[in-house]
C-alpha cells in the first residue's frame, strides 16, 4: 500500500511538470492553430538557458526562470515573425512541416554551441525532500508542481478573462474583423507564439533540475506534450492539467504493475483512445 | 573541428596516392545523442595513428608505410553508419575498418565488414550477440558483457556483513541485456538473491517508480546496467527520494570525468568497473606506459581518457601488430594474424579468443572524494570500499 | 511523349548495375526505396488528403515480417514479404476504420501515436528480439536488391497512374477536396479511405521488407522511425502531392543532395534537411510538380506570389 501511495505521489508530481511542458504547445495550437513540432526544442533551449544562468552567473535556478522566460519569448517572437508568419495562411500541414524544419535547425545549433555533453542543473538543495505520512516528497518537484499549476491557471485567467487575452483569441478567430478594429495581427501572433515559447522555456528550466540536459531531449518531449495537450483538450487551457496528471499517474501505475518498458504503450494508447472516442479532449467541448 | 578532420583526411588521402599508405576507415558518433562517448573513439583513433606515424609507421615487408584515417560522422544513426561503412569500403577503398561505439552499432556495422571480408577491430561493443554469429572478420577490445559485474560480486561476497539482497536494473539494449544475463548467473552462484530484476526502456528519464520499488523491497545493493544519462538521472532521483542502498554499482559513468563533474558531490560512493586504469605497470611500445598516455591525452584533448579511449587505441595497435606479423595488407592474411596476435600494451595484454573477443578482468572502482579509486580485482581489496554507504541525509 | 521519357529512364535505371559501381548501386537502392515510400504516402496523403504519420508502422511491420519469418521461422524471403505485407494491410484495415474518422492534424497526431505505440509494443516482444532487434542472414547480392527496389517503385508508380485515371482515384480526390460533398454524391467515403490506407500499406510494407533484408539488421527504433515518415512526407510534398511522378522526382532530388552532404560535409548534413524544408515550404508549398507546371510562365514571381498568398 505504501508503495502504491508513493508511486501515485510521484505520478502526480510528474504530471504537474508534464502539464507545464504541454501548456505552451496547447496555447499556440488552440489559439493560433499552429502545430508546433519544434516545441521540444524550445524546452531544450530553456533548459540550457537556465543551466548557463545557474553555472555562469550563479543565479538560483528558480530565480533564473523569469529570465529564461524572457529569452525564450524573444526567440519565439523572432521565429513567428520571421518564418512562421510567411506560411500561416497556407494549408495547415505546411506549418507542421516548417516547424519540423525549425526543430532540426535548433537541435543542430544546440549541438554546435553546447556540444553533446550532458548537463544537469544541480543546486545545493536539489536532493532535499520531506516526508508526509511515510511518503517521501522531493522538494524541487513540489515547487515545480506549484509553478506549473500556477502558470496554467494564470494562462487560463489571462486568455478567458482579460481584455488582451480575449483580443488574442478574437484576432486568431477572425483576422478581418481584428484588422478593422486596428489590431495588428502580425504582432498578436508573434506575441502569442513568444508566450508559448516562454512557457516552454520555463518548463525546460524545471526539467533540467530533475533530469539531464542534452541537445536531443526535444523530440520525446514534443511527443509527450502533444499527447497531453490532446488528452486534456485544446479548448480550455486548464485541460493540460488534466492531461498531465492523467498521463503522469497512468505512466507510473503502468511502470509499477506492468513494467517500465510499457510506459509509452500506455501514454500513447490513451492518446489514440481519446482521439478516437472524444477528439476534443477530456475538457473540450463536444461539437 | 569537423572541417579539420575532413581536411586532414583529404590531405592524408592525397599523400596516399604516392607512397604506400594504409588507410583505416570508421564511422563514429560525432553528433547525436551518443556523441559524448563517440568522440572518445575519434580522439583515440587519431591519437594512436599520429603517435604510430611519428614513430615511423607500419613496417610492411621491409618498407615503412604511413597510416591514414578516414572518419565519418554517423550522427548516432545506426542506418547511416551501416551505409557509411559500405561507402568506406566501396568508394573510399579503405584497407581496414575500425569500429563505432555501442553494441547495437557494432552489431549492424560488423555485417558489412563480414560481407566484404575486411577485418574490423572495434573497441565499442561488448554484448554477447556480436560474437555468437560465427563471424570471422570481427575482433573486439572490450571484454565480455556478461562479466562486467564479476569483480563487483566477488567483492560483495567478501564484505562483512555481505549484502544478501540485490536489485538488478538494466536497459533494454543489446549490451545491457547481455550484462544482466551474465549477472544473474553470477548472483546465483554467489548465493545472493535478486529481489528486483527489472528491465527498463533505454533513454528513460523517470526512475521514481523503480526507486520506490527498491526502497520497498529493502534491497541492500543495487546493480544498474544502462547508459550514462540514465545513471545520472537514477542517482539524482535516488537522492531526492531518499533511497540509500548500502552499495550501488553502475556499468557506465563512474570512470568518466564529465559524469563525475555533472553530479558533483553526489557522485561520491558510486561504484563501477573498468577494464583499464592508467597505471605505470601497463607498458606500451609507442606510448611508454598507460600513465604517460593518460598525461599526454589530457594535455592534447583537455579531458581525462577512460577505458573507451584506451580500447580505441588498442584497436589501432592490434591492427598495426597484425599487419607487421602478416607482412602484407591482404585482408585475409591480416585477419589470420589478428586471430593470433598477442602483445602487451597500455590497455593490457591484447589477444583475442577464438570468437574474436579480448579477455580482460574488470576492476571494481568507487568514487571517493571526487576521485576514482580502484577497489578490487581478482583476489584482494586494493583499497577500502566505502561500505555501507550512509543515507543521503547524512552525507 | 512523357511516357516515352519515363520508359527510357526506367530502362536506364535497370541497366545501372552493369556499370559495376557499387557505391552508385547502394545509393540507388536507398533512393528507390525512399521514392517508393514517398509514393506510398502519396496514395493516402496526396490523393486522399489524409496526412498519415503511421506509414512508418507499415514500414516497420513489413521489415519485421521479413525478419521474423527468416530468423525465427526459418522461412524464405518471399514468405517474409507476404507476411509483412499481410500484417500491414491487416493493421490498416482494422485501425483504419477508427482512425480515418479523424480529419487533418488530428488524424496526423493519431497516426503518430500509433507509431509510438507500435514501437513500444514491438520492443517488448520476444519473437521480434525485443529492443535488441534481429540480425538477418547475409546475402551478398546488391544487384538483386537494386532490381527488386526498382521493380517495386515501377509497380507503385503504375498503380498511382491507374489511380489518377480510375473512378476509385477520382473518388479519393473528391474526398480530399470536399469530403461531405463526395459523400452526398454517393461516394462510400469510409470504404474508399480504408482501401487507400490499405493500398498505401502494401507498398510501404514491401519496401520495409526489402530494406530489412538488405541492411541485415532491424530494431524497433530503426524500423518504426518517425523521422523516416517525415522524410517520406517531405519528399512527397516537395515533389508534388497528388501527382503521378512528383514524389519520385522529389525523392531523387532530395536524396541526392542529402547523400552528397552526408559524405562530404558530414557536420552540416543534419541541418541541411531543416533548411531545405523551411525554404521549400515558404517558397514552393505545392511542390516541384506545381513549380514545373506553373513556374515557367510566371518566372520569379511564382515564388513571391506563394509567399504573398500565404503570409499573414
Amino acid at each position: 500500500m505504501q508503495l502504491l501511495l508513493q508511486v501515485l505521489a510521484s505520478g502526480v508530481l510528474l504530471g504537474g511538470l508534464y502539464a507545464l511542458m504541454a501548456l505552451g504547445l496547447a496555447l499556440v495550437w488552440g489559439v493560433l492553430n499552429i502545430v508546433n513540432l519544434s516545441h521540444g526544442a524550445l524546452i531544450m533551449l530553456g533548459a540550457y538557458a537556465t543551466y548557463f544562468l545557474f553555472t555562469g552567473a550563479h543565479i538560483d535556478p528558480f530565480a533564473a526562470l523569469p529570465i529564461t522566460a524572457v529569452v525564450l519569448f524573444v526567440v519565439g517572437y523572432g521565429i513567428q515573425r520571421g518564418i512562421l508568419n510567411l506560411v500561416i495562411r497556407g494549408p495547415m500541414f505546411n506549418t507542421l512541416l516548417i516547424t519540423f524544419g525549425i526543430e532540426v535547425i535548433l537541435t543542430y545549433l544546440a549541438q554546435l554551441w553546447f556540444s553533446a555533453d550532458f548537463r544537469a542543473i544541480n543546486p545545493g538543495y536539489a536532493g532535499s525532500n520531506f516526508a508526509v505520512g511515510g511518503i517521501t516528497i522531493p522538494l524541487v518537484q513540489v515547487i515545480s508542481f506549484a509553478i506549473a499549476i500556477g502558470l496554467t491557471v494564470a494562462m487560463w485567467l489571462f486568455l478567458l478573462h482579460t481584455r488582451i487575452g480575449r483580443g488574442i483569441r478574437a484576432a486568431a478567430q477572425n483576422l478581418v474583423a481584428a484588422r478593422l478594429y486596428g489590431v495588428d495581427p502580425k504582432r498578436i501572433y508573434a506575441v502569442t507564439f513568444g508566450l508559448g515559447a516562454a512557457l516552454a522555456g520555463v518548463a525546460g528550466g524545471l526539467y533540467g533540475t530533475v533530469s539531464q540536459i542534452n541537445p536531443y531531449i526535444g523530440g520525446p518531449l514534443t511527443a509527450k506534450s502533444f499527447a497531453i495537450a490532446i488528452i486534456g483538450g485544446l479548448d480550455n487551457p486548464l485541460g493540460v492539467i488534466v492531461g498531465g496528471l492523467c498521463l503522469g499517474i497512468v505512466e507510473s501505475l503502468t511502470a509499477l504493475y506492468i513494467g517500465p518498458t510499457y510506459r509509452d504503450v500506455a501514454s500513447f494508447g490513451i492518446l489514440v483512445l481519446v482521439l478516437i472516442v472524444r477528439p476534443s479532449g477530456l475538457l473540450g467541448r463536444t461539437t | 573541428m569537423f572541417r579539420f578532420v575532413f581536411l586532414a583526411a583529404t590531405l592524408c588521402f592525397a599523400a596516399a596516392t604516392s607512397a604506400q599508405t594504409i588507410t583505416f576507415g570508421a564511422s563514429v558518433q560525432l553528433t547525436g545523442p551518443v556523441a559524448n562517448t563517440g568522440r572518445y573513439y575519434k580522439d583515440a583513433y587519431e591519437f594512436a595513428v599520429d603517435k604510430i606515424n611519428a614513430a615511423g609507421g607500419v613496417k610492411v615487408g621491409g618498407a615503412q608505410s604511413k597510416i591514414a584515417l578516414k572518419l565519418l560522422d554517423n550522427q548516432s544513426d545506426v542506418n547511416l553508419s551501416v551505409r557509411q561503412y559500405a561507402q568506406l569500403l566501396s568508394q573510399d577503398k579503405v584497407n581496414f575498418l575500425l569500429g563505432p561505439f555501442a553494441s547495437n552499432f557494432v552489431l549492424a556495422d560488423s555485417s558489412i565488414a563480414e560481407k566484404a571480408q575486411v577485418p574490423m577491430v572495434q573497441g565499442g561493443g561488448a554484448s554477447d550477440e556480436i560474437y555468437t554469429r560465427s563471424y570471422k572478420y570481427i575482433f573486439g577490445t572490450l571484454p565480455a558483457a556478461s562479466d562486467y559485474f564479476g569483480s563487483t560480486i566477488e567483492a560483495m561476497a567478501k564484505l562483512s556483513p555481505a549484502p544478501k539482497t540485490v536489485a538488478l536494473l538494466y536497459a533494454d539494449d543489446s549490451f545491457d541485456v547481455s550484462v544482466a544475463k551474465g549477472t544473474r548467473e553470477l548472483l546465483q552462484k554467489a548465493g545472493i538473491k535478486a529481489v528486483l530484476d527489472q528491465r527498463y526502456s533505454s533513454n528513460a528519464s523517470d526512475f521514481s517508480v523503480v526507486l520506490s520499488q527498491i526502497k520497498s523491497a529493502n534491497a541492500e545493493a543495487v546493480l544498474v546496467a544502462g547508459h550514462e544519462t540514465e545513471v545520472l538521472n537514477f542517482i539524482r532521483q535516488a537522492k531526492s527520494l531518499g533511497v540509500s542502498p548500502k552499495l550501488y554499482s553502475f556499468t557506465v559513468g563512474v570512470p568518466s570525468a564529465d559524469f563525475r563533474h555533472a553530479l558533483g558531490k553526489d557522485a561520491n560512493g558510486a561504484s563501477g568497473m573498468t577494464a583499464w586504469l592508467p597505471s605505470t605497470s601497463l607498458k606500451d611500445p609507442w606510448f611508454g606506459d598507460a600513465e604517460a598516455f593518460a598525461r599526454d591525452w589530457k594535455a592534447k584533448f583537455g579531458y581525462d581518457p577512460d577505458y573507451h579511449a584506451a580500447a580505441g587505441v588498442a584497436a589501432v595497435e592490434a591492427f598495426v601488430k597484425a599487419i607487421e606479423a602478416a607482412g602484407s595488407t591482404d585482408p585475409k592474411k591480416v585477419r589470420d594474424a589478428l586471430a593470433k596476435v598477442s602483445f602487451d600494451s597500455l590497455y593490457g595484454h591484447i589477444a583475442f579468443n577464438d570468437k574474436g573477443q579480448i579477455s580482460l578482468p574488470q576492476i571494481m572502482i568507487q568514487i571517493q572524494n571526487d576521485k576514482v579509486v580502484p577497489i578490487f580485482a581478482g583476489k584482494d581489496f586494493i583499497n577500502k570500499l566505502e561500505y555501507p554507504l550512509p543515507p543521503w541525509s547524512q552525507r | 511523349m512523357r511516357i516515352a521519357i519515363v520508359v527510357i529512364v526506367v530502362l536506364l535505371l535497370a541497366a545501372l548495375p552493369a556499370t559495376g559501381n557499387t557505391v552508385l548501386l547502394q545509393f540507388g537502392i536507398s533512393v528507390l526505396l525512399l521514392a517508393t515510400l514517398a509514393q506510398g504516402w502519396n496514395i493516402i496523403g496526396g490523393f486522399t488528403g489524409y496526412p498519415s504519420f503511421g506509414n512508418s508502422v507499415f514500414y516497420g511491420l513489413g521489415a519485421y515480417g521479413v525478419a521474423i519469418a527468416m530468423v525465427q521461422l526459418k522461412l524464405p524471403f518471399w514468405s517474409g514479404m507476404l507476411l509483412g505485407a499481410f500484417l500491414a494491410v491487416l493493421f490498416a484495415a482494422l485501425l483504419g476504420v477508427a482512425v480515418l474518422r479523424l480529419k487533418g492534424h488530428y488524424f496526423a497526431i493519431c497516426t503518430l501515436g500509433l507509431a509510438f505505440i507500435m514501437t513500444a509494443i514491438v520492443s517488448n516482444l520476444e519473437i521480434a528480439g525485443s529492443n535488441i532487434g534481429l540480425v538477418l542472414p547475409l546475402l551478398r547480392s546488391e544487384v538483386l536488391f537494386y532490381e527488386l527496389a526498382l521493380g517495386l517503385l515501377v509497380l507503385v508508380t503504375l498503380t498511382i497512374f491507374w489511380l489518377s485515371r480510375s473512378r476509385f482515384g477520382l473518388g479519393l480526390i473528391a474526398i480530399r477536396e470536399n469530403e461531405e460533398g463526395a459523400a452526398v454524391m454517393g461516394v462510400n467515403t469510409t470504404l474508399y479511405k480504408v482501401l487507400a490506407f490499405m493500398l498505401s500499406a502494401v507498398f510501404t510494407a514491401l519496401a520495409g521488407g526489402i530494406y530489412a533484408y538488405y541492411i541485415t539488421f532491424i530494431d524497433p527504433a530503426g524500423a518504426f522511425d518517425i523521422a523516416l515518415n517525415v522524410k517520406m512526407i517531405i519528399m512527397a510534398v516537395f515533389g508534388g502531392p497528388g501527382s503521378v511522378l512528383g514524389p519520385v522526382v522529389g525523392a531523387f532530388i532530395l536524396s541526392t543532395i542529402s547523400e552528397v552532404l552526408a559524405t562530404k560535409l558530414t557536420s552540416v548534413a543534419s541541418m541541411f534537411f531543416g533548411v531545405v524544408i523551411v525554404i521549400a515550404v515558404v517558397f514552393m508549398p505545392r511542390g516541384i510538380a506545381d513549380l514545373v507546371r506553373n513556374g515557367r510562365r510566371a518566372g520569379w514571381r511564382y515564388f513571391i506570389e506563394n509567399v504573398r498568398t500565404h503570409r499573414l
Side-chain angles (χ1 to χ4, degrees), chain C residues 15-263:
Chain C
L16 191 71
T19 62
N21 185 338
T22 33
V23 179
L24 217 49
L25 215 54
Q26 280 159 3
F27 173 65
I29 295 175
S30 77
V31 174
L32 291 170
L33 287 176
L34 269 169
T36 308
L37 292 175
Q39 284 285 47
W41 188 87
N42 195 12
I43 299 176
I44 186 70
F47 275 81
T48 323
Y50 274 74
S52 158
F53 275 85
N55 278 38
S56 41
V57 175
F58 304 141
Y59 182 80
L61 287 173
Y64 268 100
V66 166
I68 293 178
M70 295 186 76
V71 176
Q72 310 284 44
L73 305 173
K74 309 283 186 246
L75 293 170
F77 176 57
W78 306 107
S79 315
M81 290 280 265
L82 280 173
L83 177 64
F86 172 69
L87 286 173
V89 169
L90 193 66
F91 188 87
L94 290 178
L95 280 144
V97 180
V99 159
L100 285 160
R101 290 189 309 150
L102 300 161
K103 302 259 190 330
H105 57 250
Y106 285 112
F107 173 74
I109 302 293
C110 193
T111 49
L112 188 67
L114 286 175
F116 282 120
I117 296 176
M118 282 309 288
T119 315
I121 290 182
V122 170
S123 74
N124 281 298
L125 284 179
E126 286 276 343
I127 194 175
S130 301
N131 203 36
I132 299 174
L134 294 169
V135 180
L136 287 92
L138 229 51
L139 177 69
R140 289 197 173 97
S141 168
E142 321 270 68
V143 181
L144 175 65
F145 290 120
Y146 179 84
E147 301 293 352
L148 263 179
L150 181 61
L152 188 61
L153 178 61
V154 169
L155 202 62
V156 73
T157 309
L158 283 175
T159 307
I160 295 199
F161 180 70
W162 163 77
L163 213 60
S164 64
R165 274 161 177 59
S166 73
R167 237 185 79 177
F168 176 56
L170 290 178
L172 294 179
I173 297 177
I175 293 177
R176 178 185 78 206
E177 297 299 321
N178 183 350
E179 184 158 352
E180 271 155 30
V184 161
M185 289 210 295
V187 174
N188 187 340
T189 51
T190 311
L191 179 68
Y192 273 44
K193 282 189 292 190
V194 174
L195 282 177
F197 210 33
M198 287 162 68
L199 199 58
S200 180
V202 168
F203 292 109
T204 313
L206 290 175
I210 297 178
Y211 186 74
Y213 197 14
Y214 168 60
I215 214 89
T216 70
F217 172 73
I218 56 159
D219 66 352
F224 296 103
D225 188 13
I226 312 280
L228 183 65
N229 206 129
V230 177
K231 254 196 217 166
M232 288 181 221
I233 299 178
I234 290 170
M235 291 181 182
V237 169
F238 186 75
S243 68
V244 177
L245 290 173
V248 179
V249 174
F252 271 68
I253 296 182
L254 285 180
S255 289
T256 313
I257 307 183
S258 172
E259 281 290 309
V260 166
L261 279 188
T263 59

Side-chain angles (χ1 to χ4, degrees), chain A:
Chain A
M1 189 56 192
Q2 184 83 320
L3 178 60
L4 176 61
L5 285 176
Q6 175 73 63
V7 167
L8 278 175
S10 299
V12 166
L13 291 176
L14 184 65
L17 184 59
Y18 276 172
L20 183 59
M21 273 198 249
L23 185 57
L25 181 77
L27 172 69
V28 162
W29 192 348
V31 174
L32 298 184
N33 220 12
I34 295 177
V35 183
N36 182 12
L37 287 178
S38 64
H39 183 71
L42 294 170
I43 297 181
M44 178 263 296
L45 288 178
Y48 271 107
T50 312
Y51 172 79
F52 285 118
L53 285 169
F54 174 61
T55 52
H58 300 290
I59 305 177
D60 178 78
F62 289 106
L65 288 179
I67 309 177
T68 305
V70 169
V71 170
L72 264 294
F73 178 84
V74 171
V75 171
Y77 190 92
I79 293 178
Q80 170 67 32
R81 201 75 200 249
I83 307 176
L84 288 176
N85 259 354
L86 296 173
V87 297
I88 285 270
R89 290 197 299 139
M92 213 247 231
F93 196 58
N94 289 352
T95 52
L96 213 133
L97 285 183
I98 212 175
T99 50
F100 174 77
I102 295 175
E103 201 261 349
V104 172
I105 297 176
L106 287 178
T107 308
Y108 173 78
L109 288 177
Q111 144 92 37
L112 193 65
W113 291 332
F114 310 131
S115 90
D117 287 345
F118 49 78
R119 324 287 175 115
I121 302 178
N122 225 353
Y125 52 83
S128 38
N129 52 53
F130 52 91
V132 170
I135 304 178
T136 315
I137 312 259
L139 180 65
V140 168
Q141 286 199 303
V142 170
I143 303 180
S144 309
F145 185 81
I147 295 179
I149 304 291
L151 279 176
T152 311
V153 172
M155 188 57 45
W156 175 70
L157 286 171
F158 174 71
L159 280 178
L160 265 60
H161 295 285
T162 64
R163 246 190 53 194
I164 312 175
R166 287 209 288 260
I168 292 180
R169 287 166 58 223
Q173 280 162 19
N174 193 334
L175 231 46
V176 176
R179 273 213 185 88
L180 284 175
Y181 275 86
V183 171
D184 177 6
K186 281 196 206 150
R187 189 127 49 95
I188 288 269
Y189 268 61
V191 163
T192 315
F193 195 85
L195 219 55
L199 289 166
V202 172
L206 290 174
Y207 181 82
T209 56
V210 297
S211 187
Q212 49 81 28
I213 309 169
N214 66 61
Y216 309 98
I217 53 176
L221 292 179
T222 308
K224 251 289 127 103
S225 306
F226 268 87
I228 297 165
I230 295 218
I231 292 174
L234 296 171
D235 299 319
N236 189 336
L238 291 177
V240 293
I241 299 185
V242 170
L245 286 176
C246 183
L247 222 62
I249 295 175
V250 167
E251 269 190 18
S252 300
L253 290 177
T254 307
L256 181 62
Y257 290 120
I258 306 181
T261 49
Y262 287 92
R263 289 177 98 122
D264 277 359
V265 177
S267 0
F268 293 106
I270 298 187
L271 168 68
V272 170
L273 266 171
V274 167
L275 275 174
I276 293 180
V277 171
R278 201 189 152 102
S280 50
L282 293 175
L283 276 194
R285 279 169 264 124
T286 40
T287 42

Side-chain angles (χ1 to χ4, degrees), chain B residues 45-367:
Chain B
Y45 297 152
E46 284 175 358
F47 202 45
V49 165
D50 289 343
K51 195 74 169 187
I52 296 175
N53 277 343
V58 189
K59 195 198 308 247
V60 187
Q64 292 282 129
S65 304
K66 292 276 183 219
I67 310 178
L69 196 57
K70 178 112 174 105
L71 286 176
L72 296 174
D73 173 17
N74 59 38
Q75 300 169 33
S76 300
D77 177 351
V78 181
N79 292 329
L80 181 57
S81 88
V82 171
R83 289 206 307 276
Q84 286 181 334
Y85 273 103
Q87 177 209 315
L88 283 167
L89 286 172
S90 52
Q91 184 177 313
D92 300 303
K93 304 224 189 303
V94 302
N95 297 97
F96 303 105
L97 295 175
L98 293 166
F101 166 60
S103 293
N104 56 329
F105 279 79
V106 173
L107 260 174
D109 298 336
S110 53
S111 293
I112 302 292
E114 185 77 8
K115 246 202 254 204
Q117 293 179 314
V118 170
M120 171 193 275
V121 181
Q122 53 88 15
S127 102
D128 299 333
E129 259 147 311
I130 300 175
Y131 301 100
T132 53
R133 299 169 295 172
S134 312
Y135 278 10
K136 295 256 167 298
Y137 283 82
I138 313 301
F139 298 89
T141 55
L142 284 185
S146 42
D147 190 50
Y148 262 58
F149 279 114
S151 53
T152 310
I153 295 179
E154 279 170 33
M156 273 164 61
K158 289 198 161 57
L159 293 167
S160 66
K164 289 262 166 298
T165 56
V166 144
L168 177 62
L169 224 55
Y170 58 104
D172 57 3
D173 64 289
S174 154
F175 168 70
D176 297 307
V177 169
S178 285
V179 170
K181 201 156 88 144
T183 309
R184 252 178 239 122
E185 290 170 15
L186 291 170
L187 284 171
Q188 231 180 6
K189 266 194 234 141
I192 303 176
K193 183 166 185 300
V195 292
L196 189 67
D197 186 333
Q198 189 71 277
R199 195 183 69 190
Y200 66 87
S201 300
S202 300
N203 297 320
S205 56
D206 178 57
F207 290 94
S208 41
V209 175
V210 117
L211 281 164
S212 305
Q213 286 175 302
I214 291 175
K215 199 178 195 180
S216 160
N218 279 319
E220 291 176 77
V222 175
L223 304 176
V224 182
H227 308 91
E228 282 193 23
T229 51
E230 296 149 21
V231 173
L232 190 88
N233 285 339
F234 183 86
I235 295 182
R236 297 181 77 204
Q237 288 165 23
K239 180 174 177 192
S240 64
L241 279 171
V243 178
S244 320
K246 297 185 191 160
L247 179 154
Y248 43 72
S249 181
F250 307 98
T251 52
V252 294
V254 169
S256 80
D258 52 57
F259 176 83
R260 299 195 297 273
H261 178 73
L263 276 175
K265 290 252 161 294
D266 294 338
N268 286 329
S271 298
M273 72 289 293
T274 176
W276 177 80
L277 282 173
S279 96
T280 48
S281 63
L282 296 169
K283 301 271 182 256
D284 186 270
W286 289 280
F287 287 94
D289 60 47
E291 197 193 66
F293 159 75
R295 243 189 359 250
D296 295 340
W297 177 287
K298 176 88 186 265
K300 180 167 168 107
F301 295 112
Y303 65 93
D304 291 306
D306 69 354
Y307 70 86
H308 296 109
V313 169
V316 178
E317 292 192 3
F319 256 127
V320 171
K321 286 286 186 183
I323 295 171
E324 290 187 342
S328 105
T329 54
D330 171 63
K332 182 134 199 339
K333 292 210 181 93
V334 171
R335 184 257 145 215
D336 291 336
L338 275 169
K340 295 202 209 69
V341 88
S342 172
F343 66 101
D344 288 325
S345 74
L346 60 88
Y347 186 59
H349 186 78
I350 300 186
F352 303 109
N353 66 16
D354 58 353
K355 290 213 178 52
Q357 192 169 27
I358 206 173
S359 172
L360 288 173
Q362 295 283 357
I363 307 167
M364 178 184 184
I365 50 180
Q366 188 181 39
I367 303 177

